[in-house]
């Protein structure tokens, strides 16, 4: 199946559009989780790494980290940051190696629209973890997708030489962000592009069930970048999971 990449053009303005403070917050939150668990990963895979904004923080701190993403356009930018990357679909991947820690942040897993595909993704992650390895990820909550995102108005931004218009629409458990980009060309005229982002909401009980089926133990759940438990109105869920077992080779 050919998948249309919703980041093909957006990739070029992603780093200017998304403030680096967000990824600094992800980085320090994950580091605090690792410290709490006294876990020192020897290598890390940033799944759905995008342009490598988060991975760059880990690289700068001396960690061995690699990235994986569907979007060749996002990866082109990640490579320029010195990140070693793999291109593929996280629903089912095989890199022939294992990691101590796999991270996946900024709603990336909400892009998986079928529960059976999310299960396959968790299975792939599990296969790529070392014994006792950790999987830390976040997701937009069902509350955010069903109650918060529908209040967002359509949005206009000027980023670098590109005009962005976000057209938001919603169905139950689904956010659709249609992005119209007008990009300035060399002759000063604007060229128009259209990309469509779709995120799905899952029930937290469904996520827990899938993780257990993929042989993960859920060590902790947090919400909204705080060490608080998940509540009904939490917007961003964080899961900290451990690969359950398997005999040491
Ligand atoms: C919101 S961006 C987040 C990127 C990055 N994690 C960050 O924090 O900046 C979502 C990313 O998920 C990637 N993605 C979506 N579906 C994917 C899939 N099936 N396999 C791999 N990557 C995927 C997109 O290409 C995009 O880079």
């Amino acid at each position: 199946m050919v998948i249309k990449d919703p980041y093909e053009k957006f990739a070029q303005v992603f780093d200017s559009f998304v403030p680096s403070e967000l990824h600094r917050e992800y980085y320090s939150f994950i580091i605090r989780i690792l410290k709490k668990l006294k876990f020192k990963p020897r290598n890390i895979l940033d799944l759905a790494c995008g342009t490598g904004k988060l991975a760059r923080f880990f690289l700068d701190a001396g960690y061995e980290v690699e990235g994986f993403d569907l979007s060749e356009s996002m990866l082109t930018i990640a490579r320029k940051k010195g990140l070693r990357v793999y291109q593929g679909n996280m629903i089912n991947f095989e890199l022939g190696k294992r990691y101590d820690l796999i991270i996946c942040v900024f709603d990336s897993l909400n892009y998986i629209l079928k529960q059976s595909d999310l299960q396959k993704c968790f299975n792939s992650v599990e296969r790529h973890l070392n014994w006792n390895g950790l999987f830390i990820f976040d997701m937009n909550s069902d509350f955010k997708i069903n109650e918060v995102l529908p209040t967002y108005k359509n949005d206009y931004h000027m980023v670098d030489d590109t005009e962005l218009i976000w057209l938001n629409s919603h169905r139950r458990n689904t956010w659709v962000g249609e992005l119209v980009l007008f990009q300035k060309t060399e002759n000063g005229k604007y060229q128009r592009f259209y990309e469509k982002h779709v995120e799905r909401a899952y029930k937290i009980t469904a996520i827990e069930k899938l993780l257990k089926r993929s042989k993960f133990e859920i060590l902790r759940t947090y919400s909204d970048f705080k060490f608080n438990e998940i509540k009904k109105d939490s917007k961003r869920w964080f899961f900290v999971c451990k690969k359950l077992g398997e005999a040491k080779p």
Side-chain angles (χ1 to χ4, degrees):
M1 186 176 66
V2 180
I3 304 168
K4 174 94 179 72
D5 172 12
Y7 284 86
E8 195 180 330
K9 292 291 168 190
F10 186 32
Q12 291 164 20
V13 289
F14 186 86
D15 281 359
S16 304
F17 185 72
V18 178
S20 289
E21 289 68 46
L22 176 70
H23 290 82
R24 193 186 306 282
E25 199 174 7
Y26 272 119
Y27 173 72
S28 52
F29 193 57
I30 293 170
I31 290 293
R32 286 167 71 201
I33 293 172
L34 297 178
K35 280 196 179 140
K36 266 177 181 285
L37 295 172
K38 298 188 174 45
F39 187 80
K40 292 197 176 122
R42 280 160 304 174
N43 62 353
I44 304 173
L45 178 67
D46 185 357
L47 195 63
C49 63
T51 60
K53 283 188 93 148
L54 175 59
R56 185 69 248 181
F57 280 99
F58 281 97
L59 279 179
D60 289 347
Y63 286 93
E64 190 187 319
V65 49
E66 296 180 332
F68 179 98
D69 202 279
L70 188 67
S71 168
E72 194 46 57
S73 306
M74 295 292 257
L75 291 177
T76 300
I77 294 164
R79 277 188 205 100
K80 288 185 188 150
K81 294 180 183 150
L83 188 65
R84 179 163 185 227
V85 295
Y86 303 92
Q87 194 276 332
N89 191 334
M90 64 179 160
I91 288 170
N92 197 348
F93 60 99
E94 184 48 69
L95 303 179
K97 63 184 291 190
R98 291 185 182 207
Y99 300 85
D100 284 348
L101 172 66
I102 298 183
I103 52 180
C104 185
V105 302
F106 199 9
D107 328 339
S108 301
L109 288 170
N110 294 95
Y111 278 78
I112 297 182
L113 303 180
K114 281 181 19 199
Q115 195 157 301
S116 55
D117 285 340
L118 190 58
Q119 182 81 74
K120 286 186 200 157
C121 172
F122 288 165
N123 287 341
S124 293
V125 170
E126 195 272 345
R127 281 199 307 273
H128 285 80
L129 279 173
N130 286 320
W131 188 73
N132 273 345
L134 293 187
F135 177 33
I136 301 178
F137 65 91
D138 77 343
M139 286 184 99
N140 272 335
S141 68
D142 55 349
F143 173 79
K144 182 169 172 191
I145 288 185
N146 287 319
E147 308 295 334
V148 181
L149 294 185
T151 66
Y152 284 16
K153 301 257 181 322
N154 292 335
D155 235 359
Y156 168 87
H157 303 267
M158 188 74 202
V159 182
D160 304 334
D161 260 352
T162 303
E163 290 185 39
L164 306 178
I165 301 170
W166 280 103
L167 304 167
N168 296 301
S169 61
H170 307 88
R171 297 191 299 275
R172 186 87 199 133
N173 291 326
T174 308
W175 164 75
V176 180
E178 292 173 282
L179 180 59
V180 186
L181 302 98
F182 294 91
Q183 209 170 47
K184 205 171 192 178
T185 58
E186 279 171 6
N187 62 16
K189 290 194 173 155
Y190 280 85
Q191 207 180 349
R192 181 181 177 280
F193 300 96
Y194 169 87
E195 295 178 342
K196 188 172 169 186
H197 295 251
V198 185
E199 289 195 15
R200 166 167 176 192
Y202 287 90
K203 288 257 162 286
I204 193 146
T205 46
I207 306 287
E208 287 165 354
K209 201 161 87 188
L210 297 180
L211 285 166
K212 279 175 196 158
R213 270 203 215 129
S214 293
K215 306 261 185 300
F216 281 108
E217 179 189 351
I218 302 169
L219 297 181
R220 308 268 196 282
T221 53
Y222 300 120
S223 63
D224 301 327
F225 295 100
K226 303 220 167 56
F227 291 105
N228 294 339
E229 60 186 42
I230 289 173
K231 297 202 194 88
K232 239 181 128 198
D233 60 351
S234 302
K235 297 188 193 70
R236 192 170 286 286
W237 299 329
F238 284 86
F239 286 83
V240 182
C241 311
K242 186 167 101 169
K243 174 167 168 143
L244 255 185
E246 168 186 297
K248 265 186 181 171

